[in-house]
């Protein structure tokens, strides 16, 4: 069964207003378990069905999207970021918080989105750009502050991942950093990887 969202999963404005506070608190807790910093400027959020439903609900709320057609547009945009079994999907954020940092690092980090992998024992699994997102990247001399990445793991890689010790790494010439996934994050991401 697919994990993708459909119209029936998205509440109308009144129903969402009633559930928003509790749902928001739940999603904040989920995101905390799914967020990892790698080096001083890069953070990854591993997405799932709940984080994407929250994104769509919030977009519909803020932009007052009422029509099925409008919600379908959001579903088409965000459903690709929901992992199916054997997959991980992540949003990569460049946390450049000042104009000075942006001016310095956005050109330096050109193509950083193509330098991310997950090391699982002796395997290095690349996190690849979402194809729709990749089409929007038109400049080679700089990068964007947000990227959508994904990885597919084999059954044996999932089994190895479950034993712990996976490392998220960036091998960009200007930004070489890695971070081990915590036991809590490993457990959380196994919910994505397993059927």
């Amino acid at each position: 069964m697919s994990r993708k969202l459909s119209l029936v999963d998205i509440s109308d404005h009144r129903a969402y207003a009633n559930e928003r506070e509790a749902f928001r608190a739940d999603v904040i807790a989920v995101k905390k378990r799914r967020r990892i910093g790698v080096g001083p400027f890069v953070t990854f959020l591993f997405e799932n069905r709940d984080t994407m439903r929250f994104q769509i609900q919030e977009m519909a709320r803020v932009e007052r999207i009422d029509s099925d057609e409008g919600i379908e547009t959001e579903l088409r945009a965000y459903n690709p970021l929901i992992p199916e079994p054997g997959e991980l999907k992540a949003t990569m954020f460049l946390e450049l918080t000042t104009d000075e940092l942006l001016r310095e690092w956005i050109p330096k980090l050109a193509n950083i989105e193509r330098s991310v992998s997950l090391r699982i024992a002796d395997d290095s699994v690349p996190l690849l750009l979402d194809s729709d997102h990749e089409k929007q990247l038109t400049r080679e001399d700089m990068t964007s502050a947000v990227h959508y990445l994904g990885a597919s793991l084999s059954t044996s890689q999932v089994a190895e991942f479950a034993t712990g010790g996976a490392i998220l790494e960036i091998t960009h010439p200007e930004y070489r950093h890695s971070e081990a996934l915590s036991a809590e994050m490993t457990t959380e991401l196994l919910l994505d990887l397993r059927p």
Side-chain angles (χ1 to χ4, degrees):
M1 188 170 115
S2 175
R3 296 176 178 169
K4 304 304 184 197
L5 295 162
S6 67
L7 278 175
V8 298
D9 299 308
I10 308 303
S11 302
D12 68 24
H13 294 301
R14 287 178 55 199
Y16 185 57
N18 291 330
E19 73 170 300
R20 183 173 184 257
E21 188 175 326
F23 183 47
R24 184 175 180 272
D26 290 346
V27 171
I28 287 171
V30 166
K31 285 183 175 185
K32 185 176 180 184
R33 295 190 302 268
R34 292 173 158 270
R35 186 180 308 274
I36 184 171
V38 179
F41 301 133
V42 180
T43 302
F44 293 85
L45 173 62
F46 285 90
E47 306 287 4
N48 71 0
R49 193 172 199 272
D50 289 335
T51 65
M52 287 297 97
R53 178 174 176 254
F54 181 73
Q55 181 69 27
I56 293 168
Q57 289 286 178
E58 287 294 305
M59 291 292 288
R61 184 181 74 84
V62 170
E63 296 185 11
R64 303 300 298 167
I65 301 170
D66 293 320
S67 69
D68 286 355
E69 182 180 87
I71 298 297
E72 289 283 3
T73 299
E74 298 301 316
L75 289 167
R76 282 192 298 277
Y78 291 107
N79 262 334
L81 300 177
I82 299 173
E84 294 293 351
E87 295 179 339
L88 294 173
K89 301 287 181 131
T91 303
M92 179 176 84
F93 301 94
L94 303 186
E95 307 276 0
L96 303 167
T97 55
T98 67
D99 287 342
E100 183 179 295
L101 285 172
L102 281 166
R103 280 193 299 276
E104 177 184 357
W105 284 96
I106 289 292
K108 271 188 185 180
L109 296 177
N111 292 307
I112 190 172
E113 64 275 8
R114 293 177 173 85
S115 306
V116 181
S117 60
L118 185 64
R119 193 163 8 118
I120 306 168
D122 294 329
D123 287 341
S124 182
V125 180
L127 271 74
L128 304 174
L129 282 165
D130 172 76
S131 59
D132 287 336
H133 175 64
E134 187 170 24
K135 291 173 192 168
Q136 298 170 11
L137 301 176
T138 58
R139 298 195 55 182
E140 289 293 320
D141 60 338
M142 63 177 53
T143 191
S144 171
V146 178
H147 294 286
Y148 304 110
L149 307 172
S152 294
L153 279 65
S154 68
T155 303
S156 62
Q157 288 169 331
V158 171
E160 188 64 41
F161 181 90
T163 68
I167 297 171
L168 190 58
E169 54 189 1
I170 302 171
T171 57
H172 188 274
E174 298 286 339
Y175 197 92
R176 293 183 180 275
H177 294 279
S178 61
E179 189 69 34
L181 275 61
S182 68
E184 181 182 42
M185 178 173 269
T186 299
T187 299
E188 181 73 20
L189 296 185
L190 282 169
L191 298 173
D192 300 343
L193 291 167
R194 291 178 171 156

